[in-house]
Amino acid sequence: MSSWSREQLDMRHRTVKVGGAILLATSGVGATSATAAEVYYQPMVTLSAETNSNIDLDRGKQPQVQGYLADVSTNIGIDTPDSTTTIRPRAVYRYYPKDPGDDRLEGYLDFISSYRTQRSITSIAGTVLHVDEFNAEFTTATFNDVNPNQPPADTGRTVVGATRDSAVLSPKFVYSLSPTFGAGASGQYQIVNYSPSDNTSHRNFDYYQARAFLNWAASQRSEWTLGGLGSKFETRNVFSQATGSGAFLGLNSNWTPLLTSNVELFYQRTRVDTDIPTPSRAEVDRLGGSFDLSYKTGLDRFHFIARRSVAPSGGGGVYTTNRVQFQYDRAFTARFSMTGAVVGIRTHGLTPNLGGDDRKYAQTLIEAHWFLTSRLFLQSGYQYVWQKYQNDPESAANNRIYLQIGYQGLGQQR
């Protein structure tokens, strides 16, 4: 049995502490009206078989790899007259008979909680992960249905048998100054620890962002937001820092009860001070923004985002990240539905010394879902993943086909 170094134990301890703090904070937001709380549980268990043409996205010809997965999760809901909380713990065991380096027991925890008074809304959302690097470093085409706006922090580089521990915490507070004006603040904290970490492509980091803003309800259907932001990125073990500040302008529109959109433009100046991979000292200005559109009916649901952001990465710095993502779900009958999703990402180092991690990445997915009974279901799908680094002459791709059988408990009964 290999021994843990003091540094690895410290990093694990930090991630566990962050996870504990997140759970405490989540419980605190939704506990105010606990005397009238309604608690419900929705368990889900799936067993899967899959085949992959290039599971580790290695360049060149790779052998076909078959795998078997067991996935157990539970949606826990806590509702009161003033608050709503959703918590989803999940465990996944992956077994690949001919590729044991990718065998892994993984843990996931997603949550979102909000508390409302007559004049304010307080919310907190987050994710805690202990996963294989392959599943951590590649953004999935489908949105996280508990936290669809959780930011990706991937590099696309993986080490067989390595894991990544990470946590994201996103609190927000909005106060109504009048029927049309409000003020608020929001934040984001990310911690990422690689095991093992290295000084070439996987660097442990902390990232902080804070926002303060004013809201103006121009009408019953639209609301403007104007504010300022500050951020800080810092790696451990090897010196790299990036400090940013800027401003943003947003417009949130409720076109109908079923169709909403959010548009945001931002400016950020980032001061970079790093020794990764070579020393660099610079100040960089960036313009960016996002467009978010969602639509939901009883039969259809789609979600589209187009976003240009300044985002942290385990590559050792902050990157300009362009991301387009779309998901469409369609229920053809009460028991049969399909999902189609695609995501495309292009990253570019904020400073020239990070050019080695500039990459293009895409993932597509299509899957069908049949309920055999009210609780038992079959699911099958096809997933395609493609990636290319700017400095590499070859790209890499994986074709994945999977079949699942599962049990899903009934949701909240009203």
Side-chain angles (χ1 to χ4, degrees):
M1 178 181 296
S2 61
S3 61
W4 292 97
S5 69
R6 178 178 296 274
E7 177 187 347
Q8 289 174 314
L9 288 172
D10 288 344
M11 290 187 294
R12 290 280 175 130
H13 183 59
R14 289 188 67 186
T15 306
V16 170
K17 287 173 65 180
V18 170
I22 286 174
L23 287 175
L24 288 173
T26 307
S27 302
V29 170
T32 302
S33 300
T35 55
E38 176 188 358
V39 182
Y40 66 92
Y41 304 88
Q42 185 182 27
M44 180 181 290
V45 179
T46 63
L47 300 175
S48 310
E50 66 176 40
T51 181
N52 296 269
S53 64
N54 183 7
I55 188 171
D56 295 313
L57 279 187
D58 292 327
R59 294 183 300 277
K61 186 176 178 60
Q62 300 297 322
Q64 198 85 8
V65 174
Q66 286 73 43
Y68 306 94
L69 287 73
D71 189 325
V72 181
S73 64
T74 300
N75 282 339
I76 304 170
I78 307 170
D79 289 345
T80 77
D82 301 320
S83 66
T84 301
T85 299
T86 300
I87 304 171
R88 183 176 63 191
R90 179 183 172 214
V92 180
Y93 180 69
R94 304 175 186 272
Y95 171 61
Y96 301 92
K98 296 183 179 180
D99 188 16
D102 286 316
D103 294 351
R104 185 73 71 248
L105 176 62
E106 300 179 326
Y108 302 73
L109 176 66
D110 293 292
F111 68 88
I112 185 167
S113 184
S114 63
Y115 172 71
R116 181 187 297 268
T117 69
Q118 290 185 343
R119 303 193 69 173
S120 68
I121 299 176
T122 304
S123 64
I124 188 168
T127 299
V128 181
L129 304 175
H130 170 74
V131 295
D132 183 89
E133 278 188 4
F134 178 82
N135 298 296
E137 295 299 306
F138 299 102
T139 299
T140 59
T142 54
F143 289 94
N144 183 320
D145 55 5
V146 176
N147 290 313
N149 294 316
Q150 287 297 301
D154 48 19
T155 65
R157 300 194 184 276
T158 62
V159 176
V160 175
T163 59
R164 193 182 90 171
D165 296 300
S166 63
V168 179
L169 178 64
S170 302
K172 186 176 182 179
F173 175 76
V174 180
Y175 185 80
S176 297
L177 301 172
S178 73
T180 57
F181 286 94
S186 63
Q188 183 187 111
Y189 171 62
Q190 289 181 258
I191 177 174
V192 174
N193 296 320
Y194 294 94
S195 180
S197 62
D198 57 66
N199 293 331
T200 57
S201 59
H202 300 90
R203 302 167 179 102
N204 304 324
F205 71 83
D206 295 275
Y207 177 76
Y208 311 82
Q209 186 187 86
R211 290 184 167 207
F213 52 85
L214 296 174
N215 288 337
W216 173 53
S219 69
Q220 291 183 344
R221 293 186 176 182
S222 62
E223 182 179 72
W224 290 89
T225 301
L226 175 66
L229 62 89
S231 65
K232 183 175 182 179
F233 168 87
E234 186 173 22
T235 60
R236 289 173 243 123
N237 306 328
V238 181
F239 178 76
S240 181
Q241 291 183 346
T243 304
S245 60
F248 60 93
L249 175 67
L251 173 63
N252 183 63
S253 301
N254 297 311
W255 301 101
T256 72
L258 306 176
L259 179 65
T260 62
S261 68
N262 186 276
V263 180
E264 182 178 287
L265 300 174
F266 78 87
Y267 161 79
Q268 180 171 326
R269 167 166 285 190
T270 306
R271 180 177 180 179
V272 178
D273 189 4
T274 180
D275 293 334
I276 301 174
T278 57
S280 178
R281 310 290 183 268
E283 289 191 357
V284 183
D285 295 321
R286 282 291 183 270
L287 292 174
S290 63
F291 174 69
D292 191 317
L293 183 69
S294 62
Y295 176 75
K296 184 177 181 180
T297 70
L299 299 177
D300 298 272
R301 182 177 63 179
F302 73 77
H303 190 182
F304 171 82
I305 63 170
R307 185 168 297 166
R308 178 183 175 90
S309 60
V310 177
S313 168
V318 290
Y319 289 71
T320 301
T321 301
N322 301 310
R323 174 186 172 200
V324 176
Q325 188 169 0
F326 174 77
Q327 179 176 339
Y328 176 65
D329 300 277
R330 168 71 177 180
F332 293 94
T333 69
R335 293 193 173 186
F336 176 68
S337 62
M338 294 190 70
T339 296
V342 61
V343 62
I345 295 177
R346 182 173 183 176
T347 60
H348 180 71
L350 211 60
T351 51
N353 65 322
L354 294 173
D357 281 331
D358 290 355
R359 68 171 180 136
K360 299 176 182 178
Y361 167 81
Q363 183 184 121
T364 61
L365 175 143
I366 183 168
E367 67 181 20
H369 192 108
W370 299 272
F371 267 99
L372 306 175
T373 70
S374 60
R375 292 176 174 83
L376 295 177
F377 66 87
L378 285 176
Q379 187 166 285
S380 64
Y382 167 75
Q383 181 188 71
Y384 175 76
V385 183
W386 175 88
Q387 177 174 264
K388 185 181 186 304
Y389 288 93
Q390 178 177 304
N391 294 343
D392 291 339
E394 298 182 19
S395 61
N398 178 45
N399 294 276
R400 174 179 174 245
I401 300 173
Y402 56 93
L403 177 65
Q404 301 174 335
I405 183 169
Y407 169 90
Q408 178 177 302
L410 297 178
Q412 185 178 20
Q413 305 298 302
R414 294 187 180 276

